[in-house]
Amino acid sequence: MTHVASQFASSYVFYWRDFFEDQPLQYPPGFDGRVIVYPNNQTLKDYLSWRQADCHINNLYNTAFWALIQQSGLTPVQAQARLQGTLAADKHEILFSEFNINYNNEPLMYRKGTVLTWQKVDEVTMKEVKLPTEMEGQKMKVSRVRSRPTALHCDIIGDAFWKEHPEILEEDS
């Protein structure tokens, strides 16, 4: 896992300019990676649900925080003071009444985060035949099923996600 976090951090820095041409990277990033073993599927689902709820809480706060700074001209200290002690409903109201932002219409990627799953996809390629001799050099279609990482932006707290993706909790055979 440390290798994954390290590779991600170095790639983040390496490709920064490809995505943010005119904006210099101001601080070196740090990333955390963990491997956790849970005793059963329900505990795993509960943990992932908590992480998604935490993503939502953090994004709601940050959406309101940065709107106060960028659109109202507050300083970070003032924005933090304004949001201190607020509940989710208060932040929704600030966003809607002051900035005409309906948080529920924000993209799922920000409200729910990103879930990476392995999904099976059919891959068709053309391969050159090497044997038998009479077919050598000809090209044939070859298909195989591969697992590819797929980014999803969806609700994993309810049962619908787990019913659509039962393979995630299946035992390896």
Side-chain angles (χ1 to χ4, degrees):
M1 182 47 67
T2 57
H3 178 73
V4 172
S6 173
Q7 186 65 42
F8 185 83
S10 63
S11 296
Y12 185 90
V13 171
F14 187 79
Y15 291 109
W16 176 267
R17 284 196 172 155
D18 292 353
F19 296 93
F20 306 103
E21 296 172 7
D22 301 328
Q23 185 175 354
L25 183 62
Q26 295 179 352
Y27 305 99
F31 297 94
D32 178 23
R34 302 168 195 205
V35 175
I36 304 169
V37 179
Y38 286 108
N40 56 53
N41 285 342
Q42 187 58 51
T43 305
L44 174 63
K45 286 171 61 175
D46 290 345
Y47 171 76
L48 294 173
S49 295
W50 169 74
R51 295 294 304 187
Q52 186 168 71
D54 196 43
C55 170
H56 165 73
I57 290 165
N58 290 331
N59 187 65
L60 177 58
Y61 177 88
N62 284 312
T63 302
F65 178 82
W66 287 106
L68 289 166
I69 292 170
Q70 294 173 339
Q71 296 178 43
S72 283
L74 297 183
T75 67
V77 171
Q78 291 169 325
Q80 183 181 11
R82 172 85 190 279
L83 294 173
Q84 189 172 8
T86 59
L87 301 174
D90 302 321
K91 292 176 191 76
H92 279 275
E93 184 59 30
I94 290 169
L95 288 169
F96 190 73
S97 64
E98 296 182 30
F99 307 108
N100 201 30
I101 296 172
N102 183 338
Y103 183 78
N104 293 322
N105 293 338
E106 293 296 296
L108 283 174
M109 181 170 87
Y110 303 118
R111 293 186 291 124
K112 301 292 183 182
T114 302
V115 177
L116 293 175
T117 65
W118 289 102
Q119 293 197 342
K120 292 183 187 322
V121 294
D122 290 322
E123 183 181 86
V124 178
T125 58
M126 296 298 287
K127 296 277 185 175
E128 188 173 315
V129 177
K130 301 209 186 232
L131 292 173
T133 309
E134 62 272 3
M135 293 181 65
E136 195 170 321
Q138 293 181 23
K139 296 211 180 238
M140 294 183 65
K141 282 186 183 179
V142 177
S143 64
R144 63 181 174 175
V145 176
R146 296 190 80 153
S147 291
R148 293 261 163 100
T150 304
L152 303 174
H153 311 291
C154 59
D155 184 352
I156 65 169
I157 295 173
D159 289 333
F161 173 82
W162 301 102
K163 287 178 181 171
E164 289 175 28
H165 302 281
E167 71 282 358
I168 293 173
L169 300 177
E170 286 176 353
E171 297 289 329
D172 290 337
S173 51

